[in-house]
Amino acid sequence: MEFFEKQFYHNSLGDWGIALLIIIGVIIATKLVIWFIKNVLKKLSAKTKTRLDDLLVEMLEEPIIYIFALGGIWFALKRLVFPPDITDYIDKGFWFVVILATTWFIARLLIALIDEYLAPAVEKSESDLDDQLLPIARKVIKYTIWILGILMALNNVGFNVGAILAGLGIGGLALAMAAKDTVANIFGGVTIFTDKPFVLGDRIKVNGYDGVVQEVGIRSTRIKTLSGTMLTVPNMKFTDGIIENVTMEPSRKVTLNLGLTYDTPEDKIQLAIDILKDIIGKTDGTEEKALVSFNAFGDFSLGILFIYYITKGADILQVQTNVNMQILKRFNENKLEFAFPTQSILATVNKE
């Protein structure tokens, strides 16, 4: 027994051994708590009609495990004798982590409640503004909770939070000057919400990129390009650039330049014009207005300009296919030949 009575750093080896056994016991107990939550609490909450208890159990699972484990370690260390400054560090460190774990739980729970109850209601609403504001509100709530939690934790361990906030206020001006692009992006986001040059789901073209708006954030906007890649555009680009909202176009203009061979008589040219007008009148997804003109004597063809409009909401590619198939079919039926580049070469042969 003398071995256990030997002193090591202000405590006997026996006290160190008991502390170690407590920590091992806490680790085992933590495993049991995890098993209890997964196999008992979750099953019980799943049997209820409401989803609230499921969310509470799921969001509480990880933070409570950390608090339970740290609490056991803290209890084991409190049995030992340390110098006052080390004891003070242990106490403050424990409560610092507990406050952060509590903050983690509150942030997780509020975000889960928003996703479970508020997000479905927003999706069902007719307005697109709330769809854009919800992701921003989630981030603001999350960051606000964490900032308050960290300030409370720092205040609890002895930091002068008032001095920290005052320092942040003075440094805020310098930070704003250094982060002017970030500020510009934030104001760009405000401009998007107020002017509404586009909303979620709109197809837009900006700075040479073409895609569908997926998310509008405080600093940037995410656009899924037609090739499937995700593009992140700083919001300031929308305030000093030109935005083309393809979704808001009333109709899609399609321009075709058709060329007929030079041996086509004038009655056949008129027939071609009449056929093009008739195709537009009989094709679904096109507007009645169409422009057809015999407009050019080209290098190797007689040019016919054909402009028509596809109605909003129609399948643009399919309508174009239908129109082009009808042009090909009816021109062939009426022996209207399309021209292709040709050259006539005159050669002089000297006979001796």
Side-chain angles (χ1 to χ4, degrees):
M1 299 297 293
E2 294 180 359
F3 174 78
F4 292 104
E5 293 177 357
K6 291 182 178 180
Q7 293 293 310
F8 177 75
Y9 201 75
H10 307 294
N11 296 277
S12 67
L13 292 179
D15 290 333
W16 282 107
I18 293 173
L20 179 60
L21 290 176
I22 292 175
I23 293 175
I24 295 174
V26 167
I27 294 174
I28 296 173
T30 302
K31 297 289 185 180
L32 293 176
V33 171
I34 295 174
W35 179 89
F36 179 76
I37 292 175
K38 290 183 177 179
N39 294 277
V40 179
L41 284 184
K42 285 190 174 182
K43 289 182 179 179
L44 290 175
S45 62
K47 294 179 180 180
T48 60
K49 295 181 180 180
T50 178
R51 274 277 299 164
L52 182 58
D53 52 357
D54 298 87
L55 291 176
L56 285 172
V57 172
E58 186 175 348
M59 296 301 107
L60 189 61
E61 179 181 358
E62 293 185 22
I64 199 65
I65 290 172
Y66 283 110
I67 293 176
F68 185 82
L70 289 172
I73 295 173
W74 174 78
F75 177 74
L77 295 178
K78 288 292 288 182
R79 293 191 74 262
L80 301 175
V81 177
F82 294 106
D85 55 341
I86 295 180
T87 301
D88 187 53
Y89 287 143
I90 292 174
D91 290 339
K92 290 181 177 180
F94 170 72
W95 288 111
F96 182 83
V97 175
V98 168
I99 293 174
L100 290 185
T102 305
T103 303
W104 182 24
F105 164 67
I106 295 174
R108 280 163 56 93
L109 180 61
L110 286 180
I111 297 302
L113 290 174
I114 291 173
D115 293 339
E116 182 69 22
Y117 296 105
L118 188 57
V122 168
E123 291 178 359
K124 294 178 182 178
S125 65
E126 296 180 358
S127 173
D128 291 326
L129 180 60
D130 48 9
D131 295 299
Q132 294 176 309
L133 292 177
L134 183 60
I136 296 178
R138 290 177 77 258
K139 293 178 180 178
V140 170
I141 292 173
K142 181 180 178 181
Y143 293 148
T144 301
I145 292 172
W146 272 108
I147 290 172
L148 292 176
I150 291 173
L151 290 177
M152 290 179 61
L154 291 175
N155 183 68
N156 189 74
V157 298
F159 284 93
N160 189 340
V161 175
I164 294 175
L165 293 177
L168 290 176
I170 297 174
L173 181 61
L175 180 63
M177 296 295 294
K180 60 180 181 178
D181 288 342
T182 300
V183 176
N185 287 326
I186 293 175
F187 278 103
V190 174
T191 302
I192 293 173
F193 290 123
T194 54
D195 291 349
K196 294 184 179 179
F198 54 82
V199 295
L200 294 180
D202 280 0
R203 177 186 169 191
I204 65 173
K205 293 181 180 180
V206 57
N207 290 346
Y209 295 100
D210 188 348
V212 178
V213 179
Q214 299 292 313
E215 180 184 349
V216 180
I218 297 176
R219 192 195 68 83
S220 62
T221 296
R222 296 183 184 277
I223 300 174
K224 189 174 184 179
T225 64
L226 300 183
S227 60
T229 58
M230 192 63 71
L231 188 69
T232 301
V233 182
N235 286 334
M236 62 183 296
K237 297 295 183 181
F238 298 108
T239 59
D240 59 5
I242 298 175
I243 307 169
E244 180 183 351
N245 193 321
V246 179
T247 301
M248 293 181 66
E249 63 179 0
S251 57
R252 175 64 61 89
K253 177 183 177 182
V254 180
T255 301
L256 293 178
N257 288 288
L258 305 175
L260 300 179
T261 57
Y262 258 97
D263 59 0
T264 305
E266 63 178 273
D267 59 326
K268 290 282 189 178
I269 294 290
Q270 185 60 51
L271 177 60
I273 293 174
D274 294 338
I275 288 175
L276 294 174
K277 292 180 179 180
D278 184 62
I279 289 174
I280 291 302
K282 294 180 179 179
T283 302
D284 294 333
T286 59
E287 297 184 354
E288 294 183 359
K289 61 178 180 180
L291 302 176
V292 187
S293 171
F294 173 31
N295 72 324
F297 291 92
D299 294 335
F300 53 84
S301 65
L302 302 174
I304 296 179
L305 175 65
F306 179 34
I307 300 175
Y308 66 94
Y309 297 86
I310 300 175
T311 57
K312 186 174 183 177
D315 188 333
I316 294 175
L317 295 179
Q318 187 59 51
V319 173
Q320 285 183 287
T321 299
N322 295 340
V323 170
N324 291 341
M325 291 293 287
Q326 284 297 313
I327 293 174
L328 182 62
K329 177 182 177 182
R330 295 186 62 176
F331 272 41
N332 288 337
E333 288 176 351
N334 290 277
K335 302 190 182 305
L336 295 169
E337 297 183 4
F338 291 103
F340 53 87
T342 57
Q343 288 182 329
S344 297
I345 300 175
L346 301 177
T348 301
V349 179
N350 294 325
K351 296 182 179 180
E352 295 181 357

